[in-house]
């Protein structure tokens, strides 16, 4: 479905120092700098897989999605999506995929939502019967009834995003690239979109590659995650494996029958809420610490778990050093 | 073809619905459109009257006819794509258009035509009312009026192709305003919008003959008003067809390169 080999993207950006002198100099001699956004990685995604694509801001996620969907030409590498080279933008390819970017609206601002849908029907040449069925289905799944007749500018952000997602799926694409589909939405709307994506992918056997800052999205939808950092592949596997690999800690939560003293000697105290204490303990010592806690203190309840995914991801991104080769970005005068 | 016709129908409805949301803005905008030809008209009529009835072969009544016809032809052919394209490239709104299985030019053609269909409903009666006030004199022939129809169609296509290609400069330039102004200034004088070309000095007239501008305004206008011989009409059609072919070829090449650049520097 998706096959990526040695994908690289280097942007050439103009570079100028502040100040009038620098502005004048730049008239004569333009300086530019190469920025490596994606630094060569391989990945294979099979039909029907829902894959979370993670990385901090600037890791190269959006650049990669743009290359996979055909907006950007890579500097090097080979990509096949649905049997096509995306940046050729062949019609047969464009009819079978979609790219949803959280903050870009495709809907026509001033007219009712359903009129924008109608335009998409014509653009994608969706047969009438199929269009009616899909529209009914999307209306039901996303709860769009009541929104369809409203002009887009009168919708709330959450309502608009639901409509954007529906518009992007009217042609029943087999490949979905979703860039932050839940960005800025409240928890209810996020859950709704998330549930919908899962249902759609399952019903149509669609392949989904999704980026999100909300780990809840990823946990709910993706069995597999691909993590990139500084444009390189850092991890490819299950979410559970990601946690095992990158979190050297376990979280121990205890409820005490009695006063809570200083528990710093057992591990790092993360939080204390009334009688409940949460500790972070190195993975290897978890068993020993648990034993000591039970022996020393009036423990009413105890549980050991992995730290929240958010925390693990945070740690991966903040601690992983930048690889030496990408740190050196070339400076060239043109 | 059926798919494309369907797309045009849908785009037509969308544009009508959008424009009708802003009726007041539309009326104000149309007023502006009508006003500048009326100014040219009034000035040239005054000049003709003060010169004893005619200037360069134009009587006051013929000036009226010329500028009223120019107003309608200019309205039918004008585009706003050069400004819109810069916005698209800078704001990235071009990106979703590129990922649709249809060339973005179709959207613009459909939008332009539907906007014209909507506004001509106002422009034509306004031209009618103005002719009551300015009493144009027209001495045309039936063949010239008939030939005007394809000439106008070619003029619309030619101006659209030229200006769509010009708009693609936005792929290379961050600010296209200076270029646009230069173009519209050249077009204003060399297309016959501000002054009938017959009144221009010979070297400027030659320049106007060689450039595409006059073929999308002055030529259909002069044809309609019966100011051209059959040979002059044929020459005009040939020039329109030739420039259209050049403009479309250029459009394809520039579009291909521009999109490549857009995809290289960051869509």
């Amino acid at each position: 479905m998706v096959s990526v080999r040695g994908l690289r993207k280097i942007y050439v950006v103009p570079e100028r120092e502040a100040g009038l002198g620098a502005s004048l100099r730049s008239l004569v001699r333009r300086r530019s700098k190469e920025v490596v956004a994606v630094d060569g990685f391989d990945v294979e995604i099979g039909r029907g897989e829902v894959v979370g694509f993670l990385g901090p801001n600037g890791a190269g996620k959006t650049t990669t999605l743009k290359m996979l969907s055909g907006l950007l030409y890579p500097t090097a590498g080979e990509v096949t999506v649905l049997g096509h080279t995306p940046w050729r933008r062949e019609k047969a390819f464009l009819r079978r995929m979609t790219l949803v970017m959280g903050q870009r609206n495709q809907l026509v601002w001033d007219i009712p939502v359903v009129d924008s849908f109608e335009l998409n029907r014509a653009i994608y040449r969706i047969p009438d019967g199929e269009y009616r069925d899909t529209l009914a289905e999307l209306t039901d799944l996303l709860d769009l009834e009541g929104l369809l007749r409203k002009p887009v500018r009168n919708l709330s952000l959450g309502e608009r995003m639901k409509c954007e997602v529906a518009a992007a799926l009217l042609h029943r694409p087999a490949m979905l690239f979703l860039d932050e589909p839940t960005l800025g939405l409240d928890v209810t709307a996020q859950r709704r979109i998330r549930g919908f994506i899962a249902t759609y992918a399952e019903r149509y056997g669609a392949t989904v590659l999704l980026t999100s800052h909300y780990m809840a999205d990823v946990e709910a939808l993706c069995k597999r995650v691909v993590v990139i950092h500084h444009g390189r592949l850092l991890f490819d596997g299950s979410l559970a494996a990601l946690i095992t690999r990158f979190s050297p800690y376990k979280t121990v939560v205890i409820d005490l029958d009695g006063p809570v003293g200083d528990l710093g000697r057992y591990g790092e105290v993360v939080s204390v809420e009334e009688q409940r204490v949460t500790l972070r303990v190195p993975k290897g010592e978890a068993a020993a610490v648990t034993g000591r806690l039970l022996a020393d203190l009036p423990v009413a309840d105890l549980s050991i778990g992995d730290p929240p995914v958010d925390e693990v991801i945070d740690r991966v991104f903040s601690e992983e050093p930048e690889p030496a080769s990408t740190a050196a970005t070339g400076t060239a005068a043109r | 073809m059926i798919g494309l016709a369907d797309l045009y129908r849908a785009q037509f409805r969308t544009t009508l619905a959008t424009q009708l949301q802003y009726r007041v803005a539309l009326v104000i905008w149309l007023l502006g459109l009508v006003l500048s030809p009326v100014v040219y008209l009034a000035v040239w009529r005054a000049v003709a009257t003060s010169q004893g009835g005619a200037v360069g072969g134009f009587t006051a009544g013929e000036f009226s006819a010329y500028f009223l016809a120019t107003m309608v032809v200019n309205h039918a052919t004008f585009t706003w794509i050069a400004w819109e394209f810069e916005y698209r490239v800078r704001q990235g709104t071009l990106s979703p258009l590129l990922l649709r299985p249809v060339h973005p030019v179709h959207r613009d053609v459909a939008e332009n035509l539907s906007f014209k269909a909507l506004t001509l409903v106002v422009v034509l009666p306004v031209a009618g009312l103005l002719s009551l006030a300015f009493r144009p004199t027209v001495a045309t022939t039936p063949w010239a009026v008939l030939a005007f129809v394809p000439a106008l169609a070619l003029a619309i296509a030619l101006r659209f192709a030229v200006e769509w290609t010009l708009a693609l400069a936005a792929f290379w330039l961050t600010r296209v305003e200076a270029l646009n102004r230069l173009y519209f200034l050249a077009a204003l004088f060399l297309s016959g919008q501000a002054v009938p070309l017959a009144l221009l000095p010979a070297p400027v007239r030659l320049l106007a003959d060689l450039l595409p501008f006059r073929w999308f305004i002055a030529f259909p206008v002069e044809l309609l008003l019966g100011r051209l011989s059959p040979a002059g009409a044929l020459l005009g059609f040939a020039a329109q067809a030739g420039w259209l072919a050049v403009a479309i070829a250029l459009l394809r090449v520039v579009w291909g390169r521009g999109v490549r650049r857009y995809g290289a520097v960051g869509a």
Side-chain angles (χ1 to χ4, degrees):
Chain A
M1 216 19 74
V2 176
S3 164
V4 176
R5 292 255 164 279
L7 187 65
R8 278 172 69 81
K9 177 72 191 179
I10 300 172
Y11 291 112
V12 177
V13 294
E15 194 184 40
R16 207 175 77 188
E17 281 151 42
L20 184 63
S23 302
L24 290 175
R25 273 197 301 281
S26 78
L27 280 177
V28 190
R29 197 158 173 268
R30 278 178 194 256
R31 288 171 66 82
S32 57
K33 191 176 107 175
E34 288 190 345
V35 175
V36 181
V38 175
D39 196 18
F41 75 89
D42 302 348
V43 80
E44 297 281 335
I45 299 172
R47 186 183 144 82
E49 273 195 90
V50 179
V51 176
F53 192 37
L54 308 179
N57 288 333
K61 294 181 309 250
T62 301
T63 301
T64 302
L65 282 191
K66 283 178 172 176
M67 287 192 281
L68 298 190
S69 60
L71 272 179
L72 277 180
Y73 295 80
T75 310
E78 278 174 35
V79 176
T80 317
V81 177
L82 299 164
H84 297 265
T85 302
W87 46 91
R88 287 199 191 127
R89 288 193 294 273
E90 288 150 315
K91 285 182 185 160
F93 168 68
L94 298 177
R95 283 208 185 101
R96 293 181 59 212
M97 73 90 177
T98 200
L99 168 68
V100 176
M101 301 182 107
Q103 301 292 23
R104 288 271 162 82
N105 55 313
Q106 285 207 62
L107 299 171
V108 185
W109 194 243
D110 295 308
I111 60 173
V113 174
V114 72
D115 290 351
S116 275
F117 286 0
E118 180 65 22
L119 191 59
N120 270 21
R121 180 197 60 70
I123 287 167
Y124 286 95
R125 303 189 180 181
I126 307 166
D128 283 337
E130 187 187 315
Y131 173 72
R132 271 196 303 276
D133 293 350
T134 312
L135 182 58
E137 195 182 354
L138 294 176
T139 304
D140 177 45
L141 285 173
L142 282 165
D143 197 14
L144 301 179
E145 196 68 60
L147 302 182
L148 292 177
R149 298 268 146 213
K150 284 191 192 172
V152 175
R153 65 179 137 87
N154 295 352
L155 300 179
S156 72
L157 180 64
E159 291 172 337
R160 205 169 78 212
M161 205 54 221
K162 287 201 293 186
C163 295
E164 288 280 353
V165 170
L169 297 180
L170 278 171
H171 60 290
R172 291 189 196 161
M175 179 76 229
L176 278 61
F177 297 105
L178 309 175
D179 195 13
E180 301 284 351
T182 56
L183 193 63
L185 303 186
D186 64 38
V187 178
T188 322
Q190 278 181 33
R191 196 177 298 136
R192 187 97 203 192
I193 298 235
R194 201 181 288 149
F196 168 74
I197 293 168
T199 311
Y200 179 91
E202 201 180 288
R203 196 170 291 180
Y204 294 105
T207 310
V208 180
L209 184 59
L210 136 149
T211 74
S212 180
H213 276 107
Y214 302 111
M215 286 314 298
D217 285 349
V218 179
E219 282 185 278
L221 287 170
C222 312
K223 290 200 184 74
R224 178 180 168 196
V225 292
V226 170
V227 182
I228 64 167
H229 198 23
H230 300 299
R232 291 190 164 179
L233 189 72
L234 190 64
F235 176 84
D236 180 355
S238 70
L239 204 53
L242 177 78
I243 292 165
T244 316
R245 178 158 152 205
F246 288 100
S247 177
Y249 297 98
K250 286 276 180 188
T251 303
V252 180
V253 181
I254 48 174
D255 288 320
L256 293 173
D257 270 342
V260 177
D262 177 19
L263 302 183
R265 62 203 149 101
Y266 297 100
E268 186 190 336
V269 180
V270 179
S271 69
V272 180
E273 298 162 47
E274 293 178 28
Q275 305 297 102
R276 170 171 290 192
V277 183
T278 306
L279 294 168
R280 184 149 64 198
V281 180
K283 210 184 269 173
E285 296 169 24
V289 169
T290 312
R292 273 163 55 211
L293 283 167
L294 290 170
D296 298 353
L297 302 165
V299 174
D301 195 9
L302 181 148
S303 65
I304 305 177
D306 286 313
V309 188
D310 278 310
E311 222 168 89
V312 179
I313 296 282
D314 239 16
R315 184 177 297 274
V316 173
F317 296 155
S318 58
E319 290 180 2
E320 196 67 22
E322 188 168 342
S325 65
T326 50
T329 48
T331 301
R334 287 202 296 186
Chain B
M1 272 327 273
I2 293 169
L4 214 52
D6 184 36
L7 172 66
Y8 274 65
R9 250 198 319 278
Q11 186 68 59
F12 199 85
R13 273 199 301 273
T14 306
T15 308
L16 287 191
T18 306
Q19 291 302 334
L20 289 173
Q21 299 258 330
Y22 297 102
R23 285 170 292 247
V24 177
L26 197 61
V27 168
I28 293 172
W29 181 85
L30 278 169
L31 268 176
L33 185 88
V34 169
L35 221 56
S36 55
V38 167
V39 171
Y40 298 134
L41 192 163
V43 169
W44 284 105
R45 273 183 68 98
V47 172
T49 316
S50 73
Q51 296 284 311
V55 176
F58 280 85
T59 63
E62 283 169 341
F63 273 124
S64 295
Y66 182 86
F67 283 110
L68 290 176
T70 301
M71 182 182 94
V72 176
V73 170
N74 184 36
H75 176 73
T77 56
F78 93 99
T79 78
W80 56 93
I81 189 66
W83 280 279
E84 182 152 340
F85 222 93
E86 182 193 8
Y87 176 83
R88 280 184 196 166
V89 171
R90 252 192 319 153
Q91 301 291 322
T93 54
L94 181 66
S95 297
L97 299 183
L98 283 178
L99 293 185
R100 291 173 172 180
V102 58
H103 197 296
V105 76
H106 291 299
R107 173 203 155 99
D108 293 332
V109 172
E111 202 173 67
N112 195 296
L113 290 179
S114 35
F115 181 77
K116 297 305 175 48
L118 179 71
T119 47
L120 267 182
V121 175
V122 182
V123 168
L124 286 178
V126 167
L129 281 176
L130 287 174
S131 42
L132 289 181
F134 292 101
R135 297 180 307 281
T137 38
V138 182
T140 188
T141 54
W143 73 262
V145 175
L146 273 180
F148 170 74
V149 177
L152 183 66
L154 278 167
I156 291 171
L158 174 59
R159 187 165 181 184
F160 185 89
V162 167
E163 293 182 2
W164 212 81
T165 308
L166 178 80
L168 300 180
F171 282 126
W172 288 271
L173 307 173
T174 336
R175 289 283 182 174
V176 294
E177 177 140 2
L179 183 69
N180 287 348
R181 276 175 187 275
L182 190 70
Y183 170 86
F184 283 97
L185 202 65
L188 184 65
F189 288 99
L190 298 174
S191 70
Q193 261 182 79
V195 191
L197 294 172
L199 301 186
L200 292 174
V204 184
R205 263 208 318 271
L206 180 68
L207 191 64
D209 286 344
L210 295 176
L211 291 172
F213 310 110
R214 73 163 292 180
W215 306 111
F216 55 68
I217 302 266
F219 167 63
V221 168
E222 288 166 7
L223 184 63
L224 176 69
L225 300 178
R227 301 183 78 90
L228 294 180
S229 65
L234 284 178
L235 178 72
F237 279 118
Q240 281 189 322
W243 269 115
L244 184 60
V246 170
I248 289 175
L250 210 61
L251 187 156
R252 283 165 170 273
V253 173
V254 177
W255 170 254
R257 295 198 176 180
V259 166
R260 254 201 108 77
R261 187 184 153 86
Y262 185 69
V265 297

